[in-house]
Amino acid sequence: MINQETVVEINLSNLKKNLDFLKSKIRKETLVMAVVKAFAYGSDSTIISKKLEKEKIDYLAVAYTVEGMELRDKGITTPILVLHPQINDFDKIIDFELEPSIYSFRVLKAFMNSKKLTKNYPFQIKFNTGLNRLGFNENQIDKLILSLKNLKPNFIFSHLGASEDVLEKSFTNEQIKKFIFISSDFENKIGRKIKKHILNTSGILNFSEAQFEMVRTGIGLYGFGNDSKFNDNLKPVISLKTIISQINHIKKGESVGYNRGFLSKKSITTATLPIGHADGINRQYGNGKASVMVNGKSALIIGNICMDMMMIDISNIICNEGDEVIIFDDKNVSAEEFTESAGTISYEILTALSKRIKRIVIN
Ligand SMILES: *Cc1c(COP(=O)(O)O)cnc(C)c1O
């Protein structure tokens, strides 16, 4: 039975396989933090987090406080790191037992000013080692230790900027070296050891020697290793499927879509699909850039992608209204391949998938 609408399929057995593969790259005792920010990379953060909790994941991470609050509302009890809290969030963070990342003096001050803060409340400190995005710098350690007073972070961490990039291997090694230097300086000055993490998915795959006490994985869990050599081991969790709503026969000289984006040089057959840029298929995929699969054959997206629809050329494909159309899946064409055609990355299309698309769990 084909779903007669656009669906995002979430394959939980692929999620489990990906988790097992990533775990095979690290020591047994290393903790795993699953990154479930941005609706678990466009899937469904509650469904994914519940499955990961069943698989005894050690930690979850979200970007923003509301994302963590939602998981707590849905009954998730695993520790949750909030990677990018804002200064007005801290009462809520503490109410919902979320663990904030403290990345600047401004944020530290807001955290310490929360009336809800108790003596041993867990939090983590983020250091900048070269991404130059968030985090304390190495020359701020002394002031940071003074400012922390009697607060005790339970982890310190940093983030790699190019762990998937073989040409930037020395940059990544420099980041890791800097993190080790910062960590030991920090530990010496506070007089105790502290747990650490720096690796993201590509870090786990390419720099597993720097796993410390925990690793963080997002994209790998969802089936992408940022390198085709992992395609046999990582399986896409998210498939995007739709159907043919209507078939049209276009004569030579006619146009298709808004602003006559496609002008037909010969008579062709098109199919209209119930998915558009409001669903996450941006206009960059239109006008002949990307294609989708209909009955095992590739069909080019033609004309401008509309808000709620797009049109494809099915002239050479035997198909009917109501037939299934695969935008990407775990067998025919991956989200990575689909995005390559438009010059972007799997992360972007996954996290852009609109919440209005129905989610279906496959086990
Ligand atoms: C998003 C994010 C991750 C996950 O990265 P992947 O490449 O998806 O594994 C890890 N750490 C931080 C700080 C992040 O922002």
Side-chain angles (χ1 to χ4, degrees):
M1 257 281 291
I2 296 158
N3 294 292
Q4 287 297 315
E5 62 190 315
T6 300
V7 293
V8 167
E9 284 180 3
I10 304 170
N11 186 321
L12 292 182
S13 59
N14 283 358
L15 179 71
K16 164 86 168 91
K17 281 182 206 147
N18 297 336
L19 177 62
D20 289 345
F21 175 69
L22 290 158
K23 278 185 174 171
S24 76
K25 298 283 171 197
I26 54 174
R27 291 186 294 268
K28 236 181 83 198
E29 61 274 20
T30 304
L31 302 173
V32 179
M33 172 183 275
V35 182
V36 294
K37 64 190 178 190
F39 214 43
Y41 288 47
S43 55
D44 183 309
S45 49
T46 304
I47 291 169
I48 297 287
S49 301
K50 287 207 162 147
K51 171 70 176 170
L52 291 168
E53 202 163 75
K54 235 168 80 188
E55 299 299 332
K56 306 208 161 42
I57 200 82
D58 301 292
Y59 254 92
L60 296 170
V62 294
Y64 295 108
T65 304
V66 284
E67 298 178 303
M69 289 162 60
E70 181 178 350
L71 292 178
R72 288 282 181 257
D73 278 339
K74 297 282 168 58
I76 300 293
T77 58
T78 303
I80 301 174
L81 174 65
V82 180
L83 291 163
H84 197 180
Q86 300 298 311
I87 55 165
N88 292 330
D89 293 355
F90 287 105
D91 288 355
K92 288 223 167 74
I93 283 189
I94 296 167
D95 278 343
F96 283 77
E97 295 180 40
L98 305 169
E99 217 167 290
S101 157
I102 302 299
Y103 52 86
S104 70
F105 288 113
R106 176 172 158 272
V107 165
L108 176 60
K109 189 169 157 219
F111 180 48
M112 293 177 90
N113 281 342
S114 170
K115 298 221 165 35
K116 311 223 171 193
L117 185 59
T118 51
K119 192 158 160 267
N120 289 316
Y121 195 83
F123 69 101
Q124 308 197 9
I125 290 182
K126 177 145 195 202
F127 284 104
N128 172 32
T129 53
L131 183 58
N132 291 322
R133 193 172 71 171
L134 288 183
F136 292 98
N137 290 313
E138 57 180 311
N139 60 8
Q140 296 176 314
I141 292 178
D142 291 340
K143 185 179 169 199
L144 173 61
I145 290 171
L146 274 178
S147 311
L148 284 172
K149 299 196 175 133
N150 55 0
L151 289 180
K152 290 193 176 68
N154 60 352
F155 284 91
I156 51 182
F157 74 107
S158 187
H159 192 36
L160 298 174
S163 54
E164 68 274 34
D165 198 337
V166 284
L167 297 176
E168 294 294 358
K169 203 168 171 178
S170 65
F171 174 79
T172 304
N173 281 324
E174 280 308 308
Q175 275 200 279
I176 292 168
K177 249 175 45 200
K178 195 170 206 177
F179 184 57
I180 293 171
F181 174 81
I182 288 173
S183 307
S184 49
D185 192 27
F186 189 83
E187 286 173 333
N188 288 338
K189 285 173 175 159
I190 60 168
R192 68 179 177 94
K193 285 270 171 210
I194 183 155
K195 289 184 270 185
K196 300 174 259 303
H197 51 105
I198 190 168
L199 300 183
N200 62 341
T201 298
S202 290
I204 297 168
L205 298 172
N206 302 325
F207 299 88
S208 67
E209 67 281 2
Q211 62 194 272
F212 301 104
E213 283 76 27
M214 184 153 74
V215 296
R216 310 186 297 273
T217 176
I219 200 78
L221 284 177
Y222 308 104
F224 300 98
N226 298 321
D227 189 328
S228 55
K229 74 173 180 238
F230 301 113
N231 286 359
D232 288 340
N233 303 105
L234 293 171
K235 294 286 162 219
V237 166
I238 300 159
S239 297
L240 179 62
K241 297 176 178 176
T242 186
I243 55 145
I244 294 177
S245 273
Q246 187 174 342
I247 289 177
N248 284 307
H249 301 285
I250 311 296
K251 293 193 201 87
K252 182 181 169 179
E254 285 188 322
S255 60
V256 177
Y258 283 134
N259 304 102
R260 312 193 70 203
F262 178 81
L263 278 173
S264 199
K265 293 195 191 78
K266 55 181 188 201
S267 63
I268 64 161
T269 309
T270 67
T272 302
L273 313 181
I275 183 167
H277 63 73
D279 301 290
I281 311 296
N282 297 344
R283 284 166 59 105
Q284 72 213 41
Y285 295 98
N287 293 311
K289 282 270 168 58
S291 47
V292 300
M293 297 276 290
V294 183
N295 294 336
K297 285 193 161 174
S298 179
L300 217 52
I301 302 171
I302 58 167
N304 290 311
I305 291 181
C306 314
M307 188 185 296
D308 316 298
M309 283 167 258
M310 61 191 202
M311 279 68 88
I312 58 173
D313 183 350
I314 53 160
S315 302
N316 299 316
I317 304 174
I318 297 164
C319 56
N320 296 299
E321 292 177 352
D323 281 1
E324 184 178 70
V325 178
I326 296 166
I327 316 267
F328 52 80
D329 67 359
D330 61 348
K331 293 179 194 75
N332 301 283
V333 56
S334 76
E336 214 159 40
E337 291 164 309
F338 182 73
T339 53
E340 267 165 24
S341 60
T344 180
I345 55 173
S346 59
Y347 294 78
E348 188 184 58
I349 188 120
L350 296 177
T351 57
L353 294 173
S354 165
K355 283 204 180 192
R356 80 176 176 184
I357 305 174
K358 183 175 178 180
R359 266 66 177 171
I360 295 178
V361 174
I362 308 244
N363 257 308

